[in-house]
């Protein structure tokens, strides 16, 4: 079978059709599984909604909780203002953390149909991705919170860069709808590779990892994927909030690249059949958490989990996809006093329809169709990803990091708060 394959199944209709007990095995081979109505199927959808609404009632008040219930979580950013967001996020994390052990158990029992012990990440992730143009105003302020990155887009990464186990299975559960433009990017073309990153966990600019796989979800649907798939967030260019809870687990003993990982203890033993050992393990975790945190900070000083990422100097043996990066082509440039007056000439045989190629450190060219060749800055206006490794879609260059489509007609993107990309019209030679 060719991986990664995307399989869509409906919980009710039913999962047996793909041999449920094989899901974990298939996911760890790179297959991406979509379970429609997953949360409804395990009896958790309404419960989760109620829990979050209760947290909102406690932090933002009765009236706002009511409004959100009526309008749906897609309207989160209209109801909750940016000042309220830190307390809403803090409370949501606290409430979801309390139900994570049982949620994990229900997923393992009912979705994976596994009877044997497993491990889950102590804290689920609560991801309120509000439209980027709104959250952009607070990016610096929010960066000090532990949930930073859960309301703003995350760049392409393997979860093991952040010390998750290499055998982790990520269950990414939609509470609101998920649309193209605010979802998850999975990069199937580099599955099986562990790409290099910087010390603070950013993909290197010279890596080429192809186009992203994006999946639309209805509330309650889940995507199950291997945490080692290179993945990232789409920058939210829609006008709706995308609300997802994601939980990582291992269906066997967790395996870590780095034995000294401070995250190691956060994988909690559990048993789908309520074993005494599991209950004991979970109580011990609760008791030891405070103690452990104190020891950890004493040993590691300033180093904490947030900045503990794998980097090239911590482990060797990373895959390198820079050789797949598009090769430069030569272009003759006759500078003018403005973008419109600047002329670029290139040899048509050097650039096929749909191709993007770099021409200098700053510039690349793309052929949209037989008659349209556009040169544009390589620097994405969002976080500076190299657009020479992006791809073309509907007259736009799509950024490789967060999937932002940028018009090659006028340099604009659906995120209006971002500066426009500089674009030049080109002519062919000969
Ligand atoms: O929800 C997102 O945008 C990113 C998800 C992610 O990186 C994860 O669940 O590990
Ligand atoms: S969309 Fe984020 S760097 Fe381009
Ligand atoms: Fe991730």
């Amino acid at each position: 079978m060719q991986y990664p394959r995307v399989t869509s199944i409906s919980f009710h209709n039913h999962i047996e059709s793909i041999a449920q007990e094989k899901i974990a095995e298939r996911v760890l081979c790179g297959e991406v599984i979509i379970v429609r109505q997953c949360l409804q199927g395990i009896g958790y959808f309404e419960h989760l909604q109620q829990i979050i609404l209760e947290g909102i009632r406690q932090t933002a008040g009765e009236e706002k909780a009511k409004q959100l219930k009526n309008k749906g979580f897609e309207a989160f950013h209209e109801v909750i203002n940016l000042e309220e967001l830190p307390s809403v996020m803090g409370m949501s994390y606290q409430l979801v953390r309390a139900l994570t052990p049982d949620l994990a158990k229900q997923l393992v029992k009912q979705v994976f149909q596994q009877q044997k012990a497993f491990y889950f990440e102590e804290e689920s992730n609560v991801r309120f991705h509000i439209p980027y143009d709104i959250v952009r105003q607070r990016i610096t302020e929010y960066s000090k919170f532990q949930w930073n990155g859960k309301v703003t887009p995350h760049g392409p990464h393997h979860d093991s860069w952040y010390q998750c186990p290499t055998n982790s299975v990520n269950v990414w559960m939609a509470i609101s709808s998920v649309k193209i433009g605010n979802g998850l990017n999975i990069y199937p073309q580099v599955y099986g590779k562990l790409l290099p990153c910087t010390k603070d966990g950013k993909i290197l600019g010279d890596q080429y990892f192809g186009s992203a796989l994006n999946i639309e979800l209805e509330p309650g649907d889940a995507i199950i994927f291997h945490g080692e798939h290179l993945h990232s967030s789409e920058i939210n260019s829609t006008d709706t909030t995308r609300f997802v809870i994601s939980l990582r687990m291992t269906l066997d003993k967790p395996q870590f690249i780095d034995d000294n990982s401070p995250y190691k203890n956060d994988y909690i033993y559990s048993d789908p059949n309520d074993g005494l050992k599991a209950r004991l393990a979970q109580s011990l975790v609760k008791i030891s958490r405070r103690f452990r945190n104190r020891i950890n900070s004493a040993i590691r000083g300033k180093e904490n989990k947030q900045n503990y990422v794998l980097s090239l100097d911590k482990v060797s043996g990373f895959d390198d996809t820079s050789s797949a990066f598009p090769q430069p082509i030569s272009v003759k440039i006759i500078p003018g006093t403005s973008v419109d007056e600047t002329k670029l000439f290139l040899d048509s045989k050097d650039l096929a329809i749909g191709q993007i190629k770099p021409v200098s450190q700053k510039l690349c060219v793309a052929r949209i169709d037989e008659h349209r060749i556009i040169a544009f800055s390589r620097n994405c206006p969002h976080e500076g990803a190299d657009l020479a490794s992006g791809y073309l879609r509907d007259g736009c260059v799509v950024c490789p990091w967060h999937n932002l489509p940028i018009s090659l007609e006028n340099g604009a993107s659906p995120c209006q708060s971002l500066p426009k990309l500089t674009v030049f019209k080109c002519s062919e030679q000969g």
Side-chain angles (χ1 to χ4, degrees), residues 138-156:
R138 299 293 174 111
I139 285 188
T140 323
E141 182 189 328
Y142 291 165
S143 63
K144 64 174 185 272
F145 292 107
Q146 223 186 338
W147 45 262
N148 174 41
K150 306 300 187 284
V151 295
T152 51
H154 203 309

Side-chain angles (χ1 to χ4, degrees), residues 338-369:
S338 70
V339 167
D340 288 337
E341 283 176 17
T342 300
K343 301 263 182 293
L344 290 95
F345 299 93
L346 60 95
D347 205 327
S348 53
K349 69 174 178 351
D350 289 343
L351 194 66
I353 292 175
Q355 268 185 336
I356 304 178
K357 288 188 177 177
V359 297
S360 70
Q361 293 286 0
K362 291 193 174 158
L363 209 65
C364 57
V365 279
R367 181 190 286 279
I368 301 177
D369 54 36

